[in-house]
Amino acid sequence: MNSFGRIFRISIFGESHGDSVGINIDGCPAGLPLAVEDFLADIERRKGGTQKGTTPRKEDDIPIFKTGLFNGKTTGAPITILFENKNTRSGDYEKQRAVPRPGHADFVGHKKFGGFEDYRGGGHFSGRLTVALVAAGVISKKLLALKNITTVSTITEIGGEKDLEKGLQKAIDAKDSVGGIVESRTENLPIGLGEPFFDSAESLLSHIVFAIPAVRGIEFGTGFEAAKMFGSDHNDAIENMNGKTKTNHAGGIVGGITNGNELVFRIAIKPTSSTPKEQETLNWETNQVETFSVKGRHDLCIALRVPVILEAVTAVVLADLLLLEQKIPRVLG
Amino acid sequence: MNSFGRIFRISIFGESHGDSVGINIDGCPAGLPLAVEDFLADIERRKGGTQKGTTPRKEDDIPIFKTGLFNGKTTGAPITILFENKNTRSGDYEKQRAVPRPGHADFVGHKKFGGFEDYRGGGHFSGRLTVALVAAGVISKKLLALKNITTVSTITEIGGEKDLEKGLQKAIDAKDSVGGIVESRTENLPIGLGEPFFDSAESLLSHIVFAIPAVRGIEFGTGFEAAKMFGSDHNDAIENMNGKTKTNHAGGIVGGITNGNELVFRIAIKPTSSTPKEQETLNWETNQVETFSVKGRHDLCIALRVPVILEAVTAVVLADLLLLEQKIPRVLG
Amino acid sequence: MNSFGRIFRISIFGESHGDSVGINIDGCPAGLPLAVEDFLADIERRKGGTQKGTTPRKEDDIPIFKTGLFNGKTTGAPITILFENKNTRSGDYEKQRAVPRPGHADFVGHKKFGGFEDYRGGGHFSGRLTVALVAAGVISKKLLALKNITTVSTITEIGGEKDLEKGLQKAIDAKDSVGGIVESRTENLPIGLGEPFFDSAESLLSHIVFAIPAVRGIEFGTGFEAAKMFGSDHNDAIENMNGKTKTNHAGGIVGGITNGNELVFRIAIKPTSSTPKEQETLNWETNQVETFSVKGRHDLCIALRVPVILEAVTAVVLADLLLLEQKIPRVLG
Amino acid sequence: MNSFGRIFRISIFGESHGDSVGINIDGCPAGLPLAVEDFLADIERRKGGTQKGTTPRKEDDIPIFKTGLFNGKTTGAPITILFENKNTRSGDYEKQRAVPRPGHADFVGHKKFGGFEDYRGGGHFSGRLTVALVAAGVISKKLLALKNITTVSTITEIGGEKDLEKGLQKAIDAKDSVGGIVESRTENLPIGLGEPFFDSAESLLSHIVFAIPAVRGIEFGTGFEAAKMFGSDHNDAIENMNGKTKTNHAGGIVGGITNGNELVFRIAIKPTSSTPKEQETLNWETNQVETFSVKGRHDLCIALRVPVILEAVTAVVLADLLLLEQKIPRVLG
């Protein structure tokens, strides 16, 4: 299923080299002002071309509102936003049809969809669809802002280096790609979002986080380090009735429920699968392993694009939980 | 919501010190033989008392089949299994009502449910409910076995030590609790389980994994280490049309879809929140921070109980995906 | 799936001649007082034996609260309620295994579940499970009462007769069974429940109404008669800002949304399938059509039991919609 | 929610006088050929202007495939189809803002969405969105055809008359609108679609049928007449192991499950709310009841457009159930 959420529910669609990609949002409260300008900054953050290490492919990426808006505000009906694909060069990919790119979904997509998949540039599997997530994020963050909640994601490590320039330079020097770590921090969340088991706040967040291509891990609060700690060191002492704790090893979630402290989690992004280096892969026509080298436009470090996407999906989950807990009304005042 | 799954759908219920805990399974194929004996080994693995470092609380934990079975086989109707709570000592907890245990859900549960929560032993938040997950796991693993799929979870690290005895001894020496790392490995999965975005195999697995109390992180394949690698090193070269790859950095999932290689992921378990050490917490009647010390029965290392639970939830997700992809029939032959 | 609802979500389970039948309710607000006594009147209304025309089978039908209650109130955790099956005589049914009862689900159940179905007394298909719906109804009606909403269902016709005694006597005289019409009326609903298309109030109500065994039709407001009217006669003129209309041909729903007027709909109940009359059916062992005659305990007119069940399912839908529209809080004050 | 279905899941969006209306279909099997030409006949059937009694508004209504198709076949990714709104005359509606049209959703939409709704021509509530349902129906019927299943809907009554011309003439003579009855018949369904309770075949069909604007009732098989029959007359005697019954009072569904006979049901369509006759309604600015008369383009009998829509929604439900029961593969051969 290409949908997520219970009240605030998003569905994404589209292909890298098709007509367009887009998103449908059902359950957004009526009365939220939305304008093209609201989207441009986040869309710009996601784009390649402006940072060392990201691909030069540029789309205008102007959101086209198709439904759900009237007089500049949401109506309560489903919102549909499209992004046209203007700048595609399919020729790069078609020659490579029988040679699945290592690290990409070409092979599994071919097997899963029986050869009917749109294989151009990854088709529906493409990172191109994250522009739709970013659009949903803009709307979600506006909802969060109603409760003074802010969510910010930043890169904390590239190629194993805290000095991000250094990490990127490693990739450039090696003519290879690198991964990174992105951290999400959200402030002013109320106590009580999430459920004890299957819909724990961590469950919902990790579910949507792994919808971001290239994510390989997620950890909340102290995360994997917690496994090395003593309990008395890891427990966060509650200091007042707002739930404020002395430390925040839990990262703002206890028992699956937000506890009123800052929500903190980190995700691991693998190095970009498309690397200039020569690699081996199977040619399924010849049934021979052959060498393969990426010619198209690609990012040295896909992690550079991830912060705005991580903010988006985090905000989507939180907006849904705030609606579910009746912290945000169905119609804005 | 206390439910998970699309076709094979589980719902858990119950409280630590109530009458019982249990599980309802909807959508299980008809014709699967089930007997009490099938459950005992896994239930035993989950129990405390038999290993150094786990709590002496013992329930008989005999599964009581209430519905969905006839002549020793599943009927296709919902299966309900109860586990009675026999060995509860609520007195331990009631005195502590106004003193939320650090690291536990007492405080957030109180806030979320307005004081109506069953606070005895964590109530619905209790790890006691994982026995219901284990029961679902037994059934799911029987379904996986139909396709020769096996899933095994093991502890790989305790208290930061690969030598597990040493890790436990650290806790005993410090009179404290420790965490650990548990690894899941699944063999013989077909290519094609999972969806490109929101229902990626990682999304579904992580969603349910974070329903296990005390999990703080999850990583697939090389996981967080991937963020430090070069792309050419991380990519797994496909070697044949079964999708077999030379390496398995991806952990068996590419583009959200199983790729025919071993499914490998690891989770981080925090140290048991209930530690013998004195700690600080808020008394919400006096509004004073006071010291607190656990008297009840508790595990030095909750991670010791987790492998069988991790196998269970992994199998639950995979059974559902196999049904969705029509790899398992709705009625067994 | 044996579940229904988005926030207030019910799941039913059990078989006619198994250990028990029951219900799980997830998403019920915390803080609602519940006692066995709350259930007895409605359970009594559903029971056979007290009215001419209903079967003498009597269960004590005391609800057994398994989970989700503490100190006499709901906790916000899933509520599980069981009803034991005490008064079963399976022998009546086992002899008839290969002879599917006309009008019953024996044949389709056998085909759908491959012969693994519990065939005793209809198994999971049994009307016995409606006692679980009645229990959900008691809880739902208590939620509705918080907003002063009352829902009442009554029989308006039996065997084609408005004079109900006369209708029943027809069945007795003919040594046959008869059907009937049941009408549902709900007062004090707010404007705005339901959605324009797939989750229209009519969609949700009809969905759950057809979960009641023996229902063959549903109509809202003027219903099938509306198809014979002129538009100017059918339209209900709005008279004030509360949405009060001069007439109520719409039955309280316009465009899928409640309009503030009385919610009115009717359902058609077929005559009880088990009739004392001799009938033909297939014997699937001999592959011969043979005559068949019901010996067990059965109702002359199943419609007599339906009003309390219709109230229940109506209340279940409305409780869910009230939560979704934030008209009822997640935690009661 | 504007979505429906479990595996084959449709979502509709758009407004009568906005940019466009459309549909997203998730879970459609890969490999189904689709061309614009496949849609034209059904879209034509739905259109006004070609029959006496339907509105002269004409859109070209060419389906615009945005996503999910590649080389003329479905890819397994979500399919998005848009229909542009070209022929709108919003001026007709804007003057009437404060005067809710009787029988329409203007008033409830205004109340539910707080005045933020797109009120032009009914906005999201408009029957215009049924063109999106028709598109989903074309695809669903192609899936049904794989199993040789055909579904056909026809008008059986207009304005209370079996002679349809006569019924229409009544409306013309009275300068008013009329309703009608539409019947759905589906052949070659396998035994076993649907579930015993909440997802009974009747539940799912009625759920989606009430998404069609103007539907006021639904009845299966003998329907409301069944309430007047004796059980021995109503029961359908099974004649052979294919489940063929002597009569078909059940309309092809027993116990919520298809029984291998023809699926038959009927729906009641109210007279078009927009009638040329003068009517009363509230002016919410003046708070006065005033007379109102429709000037825009409208149907004398909306039921004339319904058959193709009823076929569509019927096929959508059945396609989903066939996938769920693994009667249709996820990838076409």
Side-chain angles (χ1 to χ4, degrees), chain C residues 11-290:
Chain C
S11 304
I12 58 174
F13 45 85
E15 291 83 21
S16 177
H17 288 58
D19 174 272
S20 48
V21 300
I23 192 152
N24 184 268
I25 302 176
D26 204 358
C28 183
L32 185 75
L34 281 186
V36 167
E37 293 69 36
D38 298 332
F39 293 79
L40 300 182
D42 271 5
I43 288 171
E44 195 63 31
R45 289 171 66 198
R46 179 195 159 276
K47 260 188 222 171
T50 57
Q51 290 176 284
K52 188 185 334 190
T54 54
T55 161
R57 173 174 172 180
K58 286 179 213 172
E59 307 275 352
D60 283 338
D61 283 348
I62 304 300
I64 302 167
F65 302 127
K66 284 292 185 182
T67 71
L69 279 181
F70 183 53
N71 291 336
K73 291 186 177 165
T74 59
T75 62
I79 300 163
T80 312
I81 302 175
L82 295 187
F83 294 91
E84 292 182 357
N85 292 327
K86 293 175 177 166
N87 191 7
T88 57
R89 289 184 292 168
S90 300
D92 294 7
Y93 299 95
E94 286 177 21
K95 280 177 279 180
Q96 298 290 343
R97 174 61 169 147
V99 185
R101 294 167 299 164
H104 282 279
D106 300 348
F107 182 81
V108 292
H110 186 70
K111 285 284 199 172
K112 182 178 179 73
F113 297 115
F116 297 112
E117 77 284 0
D118 181 347
Y119 52 79
R120 299 167 300 165
H124 182 57
F125 286 86
S126 169
R128 171 77 181 139
L129 276 88
T130 58
V131 71
L133 294 177
V134 169
V138 168
I139 296 171
S140 304
K141 286 190 277 189
K142 291 190 87 161
L143 291 172
L144 265 54
L146 297 171
K147 304 304 290 183
N148 210 23
I149 299 164
T150 53
T151 186
V152 174
S153 295
T154 50
I155 300 184
T156 60
E157 200 181 300
I158 285 190
E161 306 286 342
K162 305 270 183 218
D163 176 335
L164 307 183
E165 283 289 323
K166 202 169 152 192
L168 272 182
Q169 196 58 46
K170 258 168 78 168
I172 292 164
D173 293 347
K175 294 198 168 108
D176 211 327
S177 60
V178 286
I181 305 288
V182 183
E183 186 173 76
S184 167
R185 291 183 171 269
T186 305
E187 288 185 341
N188 286 329
L189 283 177
I191 302 174
L193 304 185
E195 301 291 329
F197 289 93
F198 302 123
D199 284 356
S200 75
E202 299 104 319
S203 290
L204 297 171
L205 286 165
S206 65
H207 188 136
I208 198 167
V209 155
F210 281 109
I212 305 175
V215 175
R216 305 312 295 148
I218 185 169
E219 59 176 11
F220 290 84
T222 307
F224 276 84
E225 278 303 304
K228 303 184 199 293
M229 292 172 73
F230 285 121
S232 62
D233 293 330
H234 184 270
N235 285 339
D236 301 313
I238 301 171
E239 292 192 310
N240 64 33
M241 278 309 279
N242 297 326
K244 184 85 191 89
T245 53
K246 211 166 175 176
T247 51
N248 189 15
H249 294 295
I253 304 173
V254 173
I257 316 291
T258 56
N259 70 0
N261 292 275
E262 192 180 25
L263 170 66
V264 184
F265 64 93
R266 276 170 304 285
I267 63 174
I269 309 296
K270 70 174 183 180
T272 320
S273 298
S274 295
T275 154
K277 274 253 167 121
E278 274 212 343
Q279 298 169 81
E280 291 191 340
T281 191
L282 184 77
N283 181 320
W284 69 53
E285 277 172 7
T286 63
N287 206 20
Q288 299 293 311
V289 172
E290 56 183 54

Side-chain angles (χ1 to χ4, degrees), chain A residues 1 6 104 112 124 176-177 192 194 197-198 202-203 207 216 218 220 226 231-232 235 241 250 254 271 273 279 325, chain B residues 1 6 104 112 124 176-177 192 194 197-198 202-203 207 216 218 220 226 231-232 235 250 254 271 273 279 325:
Chain A
M1 297 289 277
R6 268 175 83 195
H104 283 279
K112 182 178 180 73
H124 181 57
D176 212 327
S177 60
F197 288 92
F198 302 122
E202 298 105 320
S203 290
H207 189 136
R216 305 312 296 149
I218 184 169
F220 290 84
S232 62
N235 285 339
M241 278 308 280
V254 173
S273 298
Q279 298 169 80
E325 295 299 322
Chain B
M1 298 287 280
R6 268 175 81 196
H104 282 279
K112 182 178 179 73
H124 181 58
D176 212 326
S177 61
F197 289 92
F198 302 123
E202 299 105 318
S203 290
H207 189 137
R216 305 312 296 148
I218 184 169
F220 290 84
S232 62
N235 285 339
V254 173
S273 298
Q279 298 169 81
E325 295 299 322

